[in-house]
Amino acid sequence: MDRAFGKNDRVFLGTLFLIFLVGCAWFYFFSGEKGAVAKVTISGQLYGTYSLKKDQEIEIVAGETVTNVLRIRNGKADMIAANCPDLLCVHQKAILRQRETIVCLPNKVVVEIIEGEEPEVDAVI
């Protein structure tokens, strides 16, 4: 009677699994280019763009209330304070690569890393 999986089969599957894990780690840590600017929007409207090269803290004000505080340090953007009840945006990791985002849904604040200054006009017809 033949066994379904022999020792060689387990070694082969284990090797494939390790190759898969190394590929995922490589993609996670080394893919994507670092961005240059953090773009902040509130309710879809541009609030400001801030260089990742300059260390700074930005108080994001909606109405007359400071809703969020964004810290840019060492080329990374991190939400360090918010007045929302769940604070999920504060617990997100710092971002530095293009197209990474931090979102605060209760305050409708989105921080996105982009390549550089976006042009004011996309096209002229």
Side-chain angles (χ1 to χ4, degrees), residues 19-82:
I19 291 171
F20 174 74
L21 286 179
V22 168
C24 289
W26 180 268
F27 180 76
Y28 179 76
F29 288 110
F30 298 109
S31 69
E33 296 181 23
K34 291 185 178 179
V37 176
K39 179 176 82 169
V40 179
T41 58
I42 300 176
S43 299
Q45 301 296 317
L46 181 63
Y47 181 80
T49 56
Y50 305 95
S51 173
L52 294 178
K53 294 177 182 174
K54 179 182 175 190
D55 290 353
Q56 55 190 319
E57 284 190 10
I58 299 102
E59 291 184 344
I60 301 169
V61 179
E64 295 184 15
T65 306
V66 175
T67 58
N68 299 75
V69 178
L70 178 69
R71 177 186 291 154
I72 298 176
R73 185 184 298 161
N74 300 326
K76 297 179 182 180
D78 191 21
M79 193 73 70
I80 60 170

Side-chain angles (χ1 to χ4, degrees), residues 89-109:
C89 56
V90 175
H91 298 299
Q92 292 182 18
K93 69 179 183 81
I95 57 176
L96 71 147
R97 301 193 191 285
Q98 292 180 31
R99 296 180 309 275
E100 286 184 323
T101 59
I102 296 175
V103 178
C104 181
L105 281 177
N107 294 330
K108 299 177 183 163
V109 174

